Amino acid sequence: MTETQDAPARGDSATLPAIELAGVVKDYQSHGETVRAVKGLDLTIGEGEFFSLLGPSGCGKTTTMRMIAGFEEPTEGEVFLHGQKVTGVPAHRRDVNMVFQSYALFPHMSVFENVAFGLRRKGVERSEITRRVGEMLEIVDLAGREKRRPGQMSGGQQQRVALARALVNRPRALLLDEPLGALDLKLRQQMQVELKRIQREVGVTFVYVTHDQGEALTMSDRIAVMNDGSLEQLGTPRDIYEHPASKFVAGFIGTSNLLSGEVAEVADGRAVLAYGPGERIVVPLREGTAVSGGQHVELTVRPEKIELHTEPPAGDGSMIRGTVSEVVYLGTSTNYQVVTSAGADVVVFTQNVNSAEDIAARGDSVWLSWDPRHSYLIGQIGATP
Amino acid sequence: MRRRLTPYLMILPAGLWLVVFFAVPLIMMASLSLQQGNLVDGFQQTFHWQNYTEGLSTYGDKVVRSLWYGLLGTVACIVIAYPVAYWIAFHAGDRKSTYLFLLLLPFFVSFILRTVSWKFVLADNGIVLGTLKGWGLLPEGFHVLQTSFAVIAGLAYNFLPFMVLPIYVALERIDYRVIEAAKDLYAGRVQAFVRVVLPLSLPGVFAGVIMTFVPISADYVNAAILGGPQNTMIGNVIQTEYFNNSNYPTASALSFTLMAILLVGIFLYARVLGTKDVLEAAGR
Ligand SMILES: Nc1ncnc2c1ncn2[C@@H]1O[C@H](COP(=O)(O)OP(=O)(O)O)[C@@H](O)[C@H]1O
Ligand SMILES: [Mg+2]
């Protein structure tokens, strides 16, 4: 759209990120108090990316999205769309479209009119509208339902009308605020696959807000994990799952075991934590982390990375002792809960590949081991002297 | 068996009430409208249909004037009520109920008193006109009372809440996210209003029209207090025929004529405007 071109350009739009937030802060006034919903957010979202904002309820996801859409103005900081500063530009003049959690379909219009709404406002020619709406309804699998009213459709169908209504305008970015939140589990999983397919087909940048970590992991190219108005971590799903940067991320995404101990020695970019005889945890140190002997540190390790043994294992990786407190058989896998000699609760997932029976039973003494690559120091290690 | 009867038992009191106080008088009035006679000799049922034809030919112009005033009063109500309802629904914040209460406050006072007070306000040398004349802003002979303007203004004022409330309810029910969606889809404030807010509030306007047009067309108080002889409405005629002339058959026949016209009018109105296609067209 040409209407949004009134802000000063930052450079060549082809190489520019689709969306950029620079130092964005949002304060709300509520009952005479100031609530800081977003506390200084810097984000760069690439062209064609499936980008998720993930975080618990109330962490500022919707607020962030509404600032991109133009329904809220940042208290501080700037929003850029394709290098154009859009702070102060009203929603109807921003070339992004939103899919609302409640769909917000126009109840007095047919499916066709709902989808055609944006094109009509932009003054697109009639025949072109008919063609594009038809095409879009085809993509979302609603061809033949043009005359229906939103009220006559199921939740899943309404969801697809909302999607078509936004996508038909070929926005530079599509903003989706927990779009699947109102659907039941089965339909939600179906729509996750569907959304991914549609995004690949139309190649539009998707900014996807969700509090469901599974959804974010399976769908996204990159995820921004938010907590209490701030960015906790930004990375690919694998990054975030495998290398959680904070205790919060480790706990919020998947199941994670949190262990702690005192550093006995630092060598070869690794820290070694000593426990009882024969027990040790080896953690690789990321670049720039400074850890010294005697320091108390915390680390995480994912349950599926841990191996369970009844005999002391060989090798020079991490190994600690524990006692099995619970065994849960789940068919393809078995979950063990183990209390370590240091008193920490650890969960271990073992795949039931060729074992006919459980490795250990409740009350058994066991050894846990894992490759040092799979554990990470968390928290602000570098900041502590 | 008892379970099937329960709903009927529940409406029994209301049903009886309607039969005794609405249906019975209605039938008696219908019968009266076809009788002949006078107060001294009594009235006889003669199926005198001329009561209708003569009533209509004598007072046809008053019927037309009533409908015309009804139309103008209703339009005035819409024009005044819509912005008020809109403002309360979207901009009154936490004070919505306070403003609605303030709006209804004058209506705790009797209908007649309210209208009489308008007579004082609009009097030739009253607060408004007297002051303006004193400042030389209006000519000495200027008057508002005894004009159709005064009657229609009074009518619109007296029936305003019946327009504001249904429109308010319709606006209040609109999901604000639907309005945001319109703005997100490139509609500016005006387009968002015309394409989304207005069509979604039309059912409230339709309800308001019925609730104001009918009582305004049948009113006689405003014409009697604020109007002059040239503003006589059919309600005034019925009142005079009934209470002053004791011509019960003609008064009844005129009442039924007005009722029939209003019923047919409402029926046609509902048929034309009540359909969803009108809403759809408005949103396009
Ligand atoms: N309009 C508003 N007025 C006052 N506070 C608000 C408003 N919108 C959101 N908030 C507050 O801002 C914080 C972030 O809200 P939100 O962005 O909706 O979070 P999320 O979408 O992640 O659940 C919450 O504490 C919420 O109560
Ligand atoms: Mg939210």
Side-chain angles (χ1 to χ4, degrees):
Chain A
M1 275 215 324
T2 48
E3 293 116 277
T4 50
Q5 310 282 312
D6 49 8
R10 273 186 133 191
D12 178 16
S13 94
T15 57
L16 285 165
I19 297 168
E20 203 181 333
L21 303 185
V24 167
V25 171
K26 179 66 190 181
D27 289 340
Y28 285 116
Q29 301 300 327
S30 115
H31 302 106
E33 273 178 57
T34 304
V35 180
R36 182 152 289 195
V38 174
K39 303 172 180 169
L41 200 56
D42 294 293
L43 277 183
T44 306
I45 301 170
E47 186 68 58
E49 207 174 1
F50 196 118
F51 189 95
S52 290
L53 286 174
L54 173 65
S57 179
C59 73
K61 307 180 297 290
T62 297
T63 303
T64 304
M65 174 146 292
R66 289 173 62 83
M67 287 190 286
I68 299 172
F71 293 125
E72 304 285 354
E73 286 300 327
T75 310
E76 285 169 35
E78 305 287 354
V79 178
F80 298 89
L81 298 178
H82 293 90
Q84 311 274 327
K85 192 159 108 181
V86 294
T87 328
V89 177
H92 70 276
R93 294 178 57 202
R94 293 192 189 188
D95 205 2
V96 294
N97 287 122
M98 190 147 164
V99 174
F100 293 79
Q101 174 167 4
S102 56
Y103 316 139
L105 297 176
F106 305 123
H108 57 302
M109 294 182 205
S110 64
V111 167
F112 184 93
E113 285 304 326
N114 263 280
V115 178
F117 191 90
L119 297 177
R120 288 200 198 280
R121 298 291 83 73
K122 284 206 281 189
V124 174
E125 209 186 308
R126 265 168 188 279
S127 56
E128 169 86 352
I129 291 178
T130 314
R131 191 180 61 74
R132 274 167 72 175
V133 171
E135 223 173 73
M136 202 63 232
L137 288 176
E138 199 84 50
I139 291 180
V140 298
D141 207 14
L142 282 176
R145 319 249 163 148
E146 290 83 353
K147 295 214 167 68
R148 294 275 187 96
R149 291 290 172 121
Q152 302 168 318
M153 309 188 92
S154 71
Q157 287 173 327
Q158 291 186 30
Q159 168 64 63
R160 288 187 300 215
V161 176
L163 200 62
R165 183 178 71 171
L167 277 176
V168 76
N169 305 293
R170 301 188 186 139
R172 312 269 308 248
L174 187 70
L175 312 174
L176 303 100
D177 190 359
E178 310 214 12
L180 309 182
L183 305 179
D184 61 47
L185 183 66
K186 199 160 168 225
L187 200 54
R188 195 154 77 221
Q189 289 168 340
Q190 220 172 308
M191 281 303 296
Q192 287 173 6
V193 177
E194 192 84 331
L195 272 176
K196 255 323 249 196
R197 172 185 67 78
I198 291 168
Q199 198 248 348
R200 265 197 310 273
E201 239 166 84
V202 296
V204 170
T205 310
F206 271 41
V207 183
Y208 193 93
V209 163
T210 180
H211 66 259
D212 181 334
Q213 42 107 0
E215 203 166 280
L217 286 177
T218 54
M219 299 174 77
S220 320
D221 294 323
R222 281 197 306 156
I223 300 173
V225 184
M226 287 180 70
N227 183 29
D228 197 19
S230 308
L231 186 65
E232 284 276 336
Q233 191 175 1
L234 179 67
T236 61
R238 187 174 292 271
D239 262 351
I240 285 183
Y241 184 81
E242 304 277 346
H243 312 273
S246 66
K247 199 196 278 196
F248 172 82
V249 177
F252 191 70
I253 315 256
T255 313
S256 203
N257 294 306
L258 188 67
L259 296 165
S260 62
E262 232 161 67
V263 177
E265 59 167 298
V266 180
D268 302 335
R270 298 171 148 206
V272 180
L273 282 60
Y275 296 87
E279 290 181 279
R280 64 166 180 270
I281 292 178
V282 184
V283 212
L285 295 176
R286 260 174 281 186
E287 227 167 290
T289 41
V291 170
S292 50
Q295 195 180 327
H296 189 86
V297 293
E298 288 183 318
L299 62 117
T300 65
V301 54
R302 295 287 183 190
E304 70 278 11
K305 310 290 188 194
I306 304 176
E307 280 175 54
L308 193 81
H309 314 268
T310 45
E311 301 292 325
D316 58 356
S318 297
M319 51 190 75
I320 50 173
R321 301 172 75 119
T323 311
V324 176
S325 63
E326 199 68 67
V327 181
V328 182
Y329 176 72
L330 293 171
T332 58
S333 66
T334 303
N335 290 4
Y336 296 90
Q337 284 176 27
V338 177
V339 182
T340 68
S341 59
D345 284 311
V346 173
V347 183
V348 182
F349 297 165
T350 57
Q351 292 297 314
N352 296 331
V353 184
N354 37 26
S355 56
E357 51 199 68
D358 297 337
I359 304 165
R362 247 183 91 186
D364 284 0
S365 258
V366 290
W367 284 85
L368 306 178
S369 77
W370 62 89
D371 191 308
R373 285 184 301 140
H374 295 312
S375 53
Y376 307 92
L377 290 184
I378 56 171
Q380 293 162 315
I381 311 294
T384 341
Chain B
M1 195 60 201
R2 246 180 70 195
R3 190 168 289 177
R4 265 206 251 148
L5 277 177
T6 311
Y8 297 103
L9 288 174
M10 282 170 74
I11 62 161
L12 195 62
L16 274 177
W17 192 88
L18 269 181
V19 167
V20 173
F21 292 103
F22 183 73
V24 170
L26 205 64
I27 292 164
M28 283 169 62
M29 291 275 286
S31 150
L32 196 55
S33 75
L34 295 170
Q35 293 179 11
Q36 267 180 304
N38 57 54
L39 203 54
V40 182
D41 305 329
F43 296 95
Q44 278 85 42
Q45 181 57 272
T46 55
F47 293 98
H48 191 70
W49 291 94
Q50 284 87 332
N51 283 341
Y52 283 84
T53 50
E54 278 163 18
L56 207 53
S57 61
T58 317
Y59 299 113
D61 58 330
K62 309 288 189 300
V63 173
V64 171
R65 181 181 294 133
S66 296
L67 297 176
W68 176 237
Y69 282 10
L71 181 73
L72 292 177
T74 304
V75 170
C77 276
I78 297 177
V79 171
I80 300 165
Y82 202 100
V84 172
Y86 185 93
W87 190 86
I88 296 178
F90 293 120
H91 297 285
D94 299 339
R95 299 221 180 79
K96 284 176 185 171
S97 30
T98 311
Y99 289 115
L100 283 176
F101 178 73
L102 285 178
L103 186 82
L104 290 175
L105 199 57
F107 299 88
F108 286 86
V109 174
S110 123
F111 183 63
I112 309 272
L113 270 184
R114 259 183 288 140
T115 313
V116 169
S117 72
W118 264 57
K119 190 171 181 160
F120 291 129
V121 173
L122 296 177
D124 293 357
N125 288 304
I127 320 171
V128 179
L129 298 189
T131 313
L132 289 176
K133 283 173 186 172
W135 292 345
L137 292 172
L138 285 176
E140 264 315 306
F142 189 87
H143 69 286
V144 172
L145 286 181
Q146 312 242 328
T147 64
S148 48
F149 176 82
V151 177
I152 294 164
L155 287 166
Y157 162 71
N158 274 311
F159 295 98
L160 193 64
F162 298 108
M163 187 62 89
V164 175
L165 291 177
I167 296 177
Y168 167 78
V169 169
L171 287 170
E172 173 69 24
R173 274 178 42 198
I174 299 175
D175 181 356
Y176 78 93
R177 282 163 300 199
V178 171
I179 304 169
E180 284 190 343
K183 293 189 174 162
D184 188 56
L185 294 162
Y186 319 115
R189 290 167 62 125
V190 174
Q191 285 292 322
F193 175 76
V194 172
R195 306 290 167 184
V196 177
V197 178
L198 184 62
L200 287 177
S201 67
L202 281 186
V205 178
F206 294 165
V209 165
I210 290 177
M211 286 168 70
T212 51
F213 182 75
V214 173
I216 288 180
S217 302
D219 185 73
Y220 65 93
V221 173
N222 284 276
I225 296 177
L226 302 174
Q230 77 285 5
N231 304 120
T232 308
M233 292 170 72
I234 193 64
N236 303 90
V237 174
I238 295 171
Q239 199 235 3
T240 310
E241 288 288 359
Y242 204 96
F243 291 104
N244 298 6
N245 305 348
S246 299
N247 188 351
Y248 304 140
T250 301
S252 306
L254 286 172
S255 298
F256 272 98
T257 307
L258 182 65
M259 194 171 121
I261 292 171
L262 291 176
L263 279 177
V264 170
I266 288 172
F267 178 76
L268 290 177
Y269 173 80
R271 274 301 286 272
V272 174
L273 292 180
T275 51
K276 285 184 173 172
D277 300 333
V278 176
L279 295 185
E280 169 116 345
R284 195 163 287 172

